[in-house]
Amino acid sequence: MSQSNKKPERISLPRKPKYVTISSDCDFFSLFKKIEKRFDNCFMLESLGEESFISRHSIIGFDPEKLIWAEGKQLFIQERDGSTESYESDNPYYLLRDIVPQNILSRGFAGGLTGYIGYDSMNYFEPTLDLQSSEMFDAFRFGLYKDGLILDKMTGEVIYFYYEDAHSKGEVFEGNRVDLVNAMMAEPTPENGPFVVRPAGESMSKTDHADAVAKVKQDIIEGKIFQCEVGFKKWFDMEGDTINLYEQLREVNPSPQMYYIKFGEQKVIGASPELLFRVRQGEMETFPLAGTAKRGKDAAEDTAFARALLNDPKEIAEHNMIVDLHRNDIGRVARFGTVKVRSLMDIKRFSHVQHISSEIVGIMAEDHDMFSALASNFPAGTLTGAPKIEAMKIIDDLENDGRGPYGGAVGQFSFNGDCMFAIPIRTVFANGNKAYVQTCGGNVYDSNAEDEYEEIQRKFAGTKRVLDSFAPTNTEENA
């Protein structure tokens, strides 16, 4: 690995990708199973469930041309052959802007960076913070994908995209891997291997959590903050084929942002209800979810729970505070006068819970791009609190280890200047056999620790149901 003070090389691409329709009757998830067995680095992004209109397309990427990640003040870039360069930088995140094109002519997905941004990447955006990092995950990690597969859910067509004669380190990269894709499509779908999940404790006991809520309430009384989202991890030992986990999540907890992102031993596997931020042709969107109720046993009970939620003064105050925070975040990078709350306090229903949801939009200012726009909206107010920076200092003090990608972002920066990131919640974060799920609840002045603990358990229910289904049987334990 060489150390370098020089700038990383800018990626050069033709102006447009090529799109080839290769199938109209492919089981896209089965195709991903074949890809996941074959490649150390790959991803699948989907939108499922009642809110699946949020994305008409599902996307698969495999064997990226480069891996790009950050640790502290260094950016690492690894080529396909494993050779790695590191670059010293005051801000490795903004080095991405120097190397990634944002001007490709395509309204559809055109490749780019896909991966995660850890919660502790906020250290790159806010110099007054020094958040603890994660032992299991980098500050951020992306694969650079110049080709991939797109499923159009409306037509059932699978489209392969690539760039012709894209240059990499002075060599021509043969961008077209359609023969490999066709060969994989013709292969039989592999059987899932065995998979076992064992609980391995929690990062905070119920008493510790009650103490944390009391501390937050004292900080509110002292005028430091209005609201703060404190939570904890549930740890697990996982053995075997993790595709089982994603397959079950798709069945049990179909969500508008589903993802399986694999970087070797690191995996982010989730079913998130919440979009963090999206840019499409210069329009920015964010959809904060704040305020939670359980689902009813039928439509009438669903409506009764929703009515109680929308008439709860604490939940409404909490939601309005978050809407204000998101308006401010978008406002910092928007053209003057373009920020609007397009919808305020709708109810969005998911498999196990329903949330109060709003939509905030703005037009990106000329002097900003997808990187600075995401930074301004990172991390979500729904996972931190208000005011955001002060809340994050308190969270970092109360939570006893780094969040990793939890509460950060998972998604992609596209070569056409668009980006789309979900908030990694309802997500399993794994590195080798060690894994965790994290959940938090919004604490305000009149919060009750018992209720907050219950809300955390409710939010965890969908993921827990999936993880519990892989508990070892007695015969396995005794073997």
Side-chain angles (χ1 to χ4, degrees):
M1 186 182 294
S2 65
Q3 179 70 40
S4 170
N5 291 321
K6 66 182 191 295
K7 284 278 180 89
E9 204 173 308
R10 189 167 175 79
I11 293 146
S12 74
L13 291 170
R15 289 293 281 153
K16 292 180 184 173
K18 303 271 186 189
Y19 292 94
V20 185
T21 303
I22 56 172
S23 174
S24 55
D25 61 352
C26 167
D27 181 331
F28 206 55
F29 180 55
S30 290
L31 176 57
F32 180 65
K33 283 182 170 182
K34 300 172 195 180
I35 285 168
E36 197 271 342
K37 287 279 181 293
R38 186 188 282 234
F39 296 106
D40 278 347
N41 300 292
C42 58
F43 74 85
M44 183 172 195
L45 304 177
E46 301 184 275
S47 189
L48 303 174
E50 292 179 48
E51 305 293 332
S52 65
F53 66 83
I54 203 153
S55 176
R56 173 175 163 177
H57 302 100
S58 296
I59 302 165
I60 291 173
F62 58 92
D63 189 26
E65 188 173 313
K66 300 175 194 287
L67 293 176
I68 302 173
W69 71 94
E71 292 171 23
K73 300 285 188 188
Q74 285 187 300
L75 184 76
F76 295 87
I77 301 180
Q78 185 176 84
E79 304 298 325
R80 265 208 184 97
D81 63 8
S83 62
T84 305
E85 289 251 13
S86 66
Y87 301 87
E88 282 285 336
S89 172
D90 282 344
N91 197 322
Y93 175 80
Y94 281 116
L95 266 188
L96 298 176
R97 178 189 269 166
D98 297 341
I99 57 176
V100 176
Q102 300 187 52
N103 59 351
I104 293 303
L105 299 173
S106 174
R107 288 177 68 88
F109 180 62
L113 299 178
T114 302
Y116 67 79
I117 305 175
Y119 178 82
D120 53 302
S121 278
M122 190 62 180
N123 294 337
Y124 299 137
F125 312 145
E126 178 49 58
T128 64
L129 286 173
D130 184 19
L131 303 177
Q132 57 195 322
S133 58
S134 162
E135 290 177 11
M136 291 167 59
F137 290 92
D138 310 286
F140 60 75
R141 184 176 281 258
F142 291 105
L144 181 92
Y145 292 90
K146 289 186 184 172
D147 69 339
L149 293 154
I150 303 165
L151 169 68
D152 184 334
K153 293 186 293 192
M154 211 159 281
T155 64
E157 291 169 309
V158 174
I159 298 137
Y160 173 70
F161 79 88
Y162 66 98
Y163 289 88
E164 274 186 340
D165 302 332
H167 291 273
S168 172
K169 286 207 160 178
E171 301 166 15
V172 173
F173 165 58
E174 292 299 333
N176 188 344
R177 297 193 283 183
V178 73
D179 291 343
L180 171 60
V181 170
N182 283 326
M184 288 191 292
M185 287 177 77
E187 290 170 2
T189 306
E191 291 288 314
N192 290 4
F195 183 58
V196 177
V197 177
R198 294 178 180 85
E202 297 183 350
S203 64
M204 212 184 256
S205 68
K206 191 172 180 180
T207 310
D208 293 337
H209 176 260
D211 291 345
V213 173
K215 169 76 170 64
V216 168
K217 290 175 74 165
Q218 188 57 40
D219 287 332
I220 293 170
I221 289 165
E222 289 171 15
K224 292 180 186 173
I225 48 164
F226 305 110
Q227 181 198 11
C228 186
E229 298 272 344
V230 174
F232 53 88
K233 292 183 173 71
K234 290 177 185 278
W235 292 97
F236 298 90
D237 292 324
M238 297 196 322
E239 277 176 56
D241 188 353
T242 47
I243 202 76
N244 287 280
L245 181 63
Y246 186 63
E247 188 161 28
Q248 274 293 96
L249 274 176
R250 294 171 89 245
E251 295 294 318
V252 172
N253 202 6
S255 299
Q257 320 340 285
M258 307 280 307
Y259 37 83
Y260 185 110
I261 293 181
K262 172 176 153 184
F263 294 115
E265 294 284 278
Q266 281 185 7
K267 291 171 188 167
V268 179
I269 303 168
S272 174
E274 192 165 358
L275 183 76
L276 171 65
F277 183 70
R278 177 163 65 183
V279 175
R280 291 186 296 179
Q281 283 100 50
E283 185 183 65
M284 304 179 288
E285 300 168 279
T286 178
F287 299 81
L289 300 179
T292 310
K294 61 185 178 184
R295 290 296 303 266
K297 61 179 183 289
D298 54 31
E301 197 172 60
D302 260 349
T303 305
F305 287 149
R307 184 166 60 246
L309 189 59
L310 289 171
N311 284 291
D312 183 326
K314 172 189 170 289
E315 298 286 5
I316 297 303
E318 194 177 318
H319 190 87
N320 279 331
M321 206 181 309
I322 295 299
V323 167
D324 270 350
L325 191 151
H326 279 245
R327 280 173 58 203
N328 290 340
D329 285 352
I330 277 196
R332 290 206 302 269
V333 287
R335 285 188 209 163
F336 185 75
T338 63
V339 178
K340 293 181 171 54
V341 180
R342 195 176 271 166
S343 62
L344 182 65
M345 290 195 267
D346 292 337
I347 288 287
K348 293 274 171 75
R349 294 194 167 102
F350 302 97
S351 59
H352 291 72
V353 290
Q354 41 192 341
H355 295 291
I356 308 174
S357 166
S358 294
E359 180 184 2
I360 299 137
V361 297
I363 305 298
M364 193 157 59
E366 291 294 323
D367 55 342
H368 284 284
D369 65 4
M370 59 185 178
F371 292 109
S372 57
L374 179 88
S376 180
N377 288 272
F378 184 93
T382 49
L383 275 286
T384 51
K388 189 189 281 188
I389 305 306
E390 196 56 42
M392 290 181 80
K393 289 176 181 172
I394 291 165
I395 290 166
D396 200 55
D397 196 38
L398 292 173
E399 293 182 359
N400 52 18
D401 57 354
R403 284 183 166 189
Y406 170 73
V410 61
Q412 59 203 15
F413 291 114
S414 181
F415 292 137
N416 64 4
D418 291 353
C419 73
M420 185 165 174
F421 283 88
I423 305 172
I425 52 177
R426 323 288 203 269
T427 296
V428 177
F429 305 97
N431 192 334
N433 289 345
K434 193 177 177 186
Y436 66 89
V437 175
Q438 188 160 352
T439 329
C440 66
N443 303 291
V444 291
Y445 171 69
D446 52 357
S447 283
N448 171 306
E450 190 74 33
D451 292 347
E452 294 300 336
Y453 192 80
E454 276 311 304
E455 181 178 326
I456 285 175
Q457 300 302 337
R458 207 162 48 232
K459 287 175 176 174
F460 181 54
T463 321
K464 182 178 188 302
R465 193 170 142 201
V466 171
L467 289 165
D468 285 351
S469 69
F470 296 108
T473 62
N474 289 335
T475 51
E476 283 173 314
E477 287 289 71
N478 297 329

